[in-house]
Amino acid sequence: GHMAKQYSTTLRNAWLDTYESTIGTSPKLRVCTGSPPANVAASQSGTQLAELTLPSDWMGAPSSGTSALAGTWSGTVATSGLVGYYRILSSGGTVHEQGAVSQAFSLSTSASTAANSNVLTFTATTGVSAGMSVSGAGIPDGTTVLAVGSTTVTLSAVSTTGVGSAAAIYFGSTSGDMWLSNPDLTAGQTLSFTSRNFTAPGA
C-alpha cells in the first residue's frame, strides 16, 4: 500500500503556529445552515445563525502536532436553525477555513474497562441514548450504545483492548470537521465550543 507523507513534529507545530498567525487575532467563527459552499472563496450560503468573535489568542500552543482551542469560544445565536457548516474568517472578513458540523459530544470515563468487556463507566451519562454511535480509543468501529444507566453505558461490541480511565469517549456523529452536542440552535441562546483539537497533517 501507499504510505502517506510524514512530517517532523517540529514542522507540524510550526505549521499550526503559521495557521493561527495567518488567520490572525480575534477571528470570527460563523455557523450557517446547509452544506458548506464549494470552497472558501465561494459566497456564504444558507442562513447565518451566529457569529462568534474568538479570543485574541484563540489556539493553544502546539504540542506533538496538535493545538487545542484557547480562551472562551462563545456568542449569542441570532437566528434559530440547524447548523450545517462553519467558517472561520479573519477579523477583516477573509474566509480561511470552512467545514461540516455534525452532532457529537465527549464524556470522560471515570473508571477503566477491562479487555473484552462492553461496559463503560462515567460519573454521569447525561445526553447519551440507546442507538448513538460511539467512538474513541479502544472502541471498535461501528459500535453503538445498547443500554444506558446513570453511570454506565453498555456497548454493542466488546472492547478487545479495554478502555482506560479518564479516556475521551465520543457519542454521536464525529463525521463533521467540528461537532456540537446540539446543532439545533434557538435565537438568543449562548453558543459555546468547548473542545476542538486541531491536528496538523503528516503524522
Side-chain angles (χ1 to χ4, degrees):
H2 177 74
M3 192 169 159
K5 241 187 295 200
Q6 292 177 317
Y7 302 110
S8 71
T9 301
T10 305
L11 184 59
R12 294 172 68 232
N13 286 346
W15 188 91
L16 288 166
D17 279 333
T18 301
Y19 163 87
E20 184 180 20
S21 63
T22 300
I23 295 175
T25 56
S26 307
K28 301 177 198 309
L29 171 63
R30 288 181 184 165
V31 291
C32 303
T33 60
S35 298
N39 53 57
V40 292
S43 297
Q44 185 170 302
S45 58
T47 302
Q48 183 173 310
L49 304 179
E51 180 178 283
L52 283 52
T53 298
L54 303 186
S56 177
D57 179 13
W58 51 283
M59 276 176 59
S63 174
S64 305
T66 297
S67 280
L69 63 76
T72 304
W73 291 25
S74 72
T76 304
V77 175
T79 307
S80 302
L82 182 68
V83 176
Y85 75 95
Y86 74 92
R87 284 186 140 184
I88 294 178
L89 303 82
S90 68
S91 59
T94 302
V95 180
H96 286 289
E97 178 184 335
Q98 66 177 20
V101 174
S102 62
Q103 183 167 4
F105 62 95
S106 75
L107 291 176
S108 187
T109 57
S110 59
S112 56
T113 296
N116 300 315
S117 169
N118 69 333
V119 178
L120 302 177
T121 306
F122 302 94
T123 50
T125 55
T126 311
V128 181
S129 58
M132 276 184 173
S133 295
V134 188
S135 54
I139 311 288
D141 286 350
T143 299
T144 58
V145 174
L146 263 190
V148 185
S150 59
T151 60
T152 58
V153 173
T154 305
L155 305 176
S156 63
V158 301
S159 171
T160 50
T161 57
V163 177
S165 186
I169 304 297
Y170 302 97
F171 295 93
S173 169
T174 55
S175 62
D177 302 294
M178 201 180 275
W179 318 322
L180 283 172
S181 56
N182 182 8
D184 199 356
L185 305 181
T186 305
Q189 82 173 80
T190 299
L191 172 63
S192 300
F193 288 90
T194 53
S195 66
R196 173 186 191 254
N197 277 334
F198 191 69
T199 302

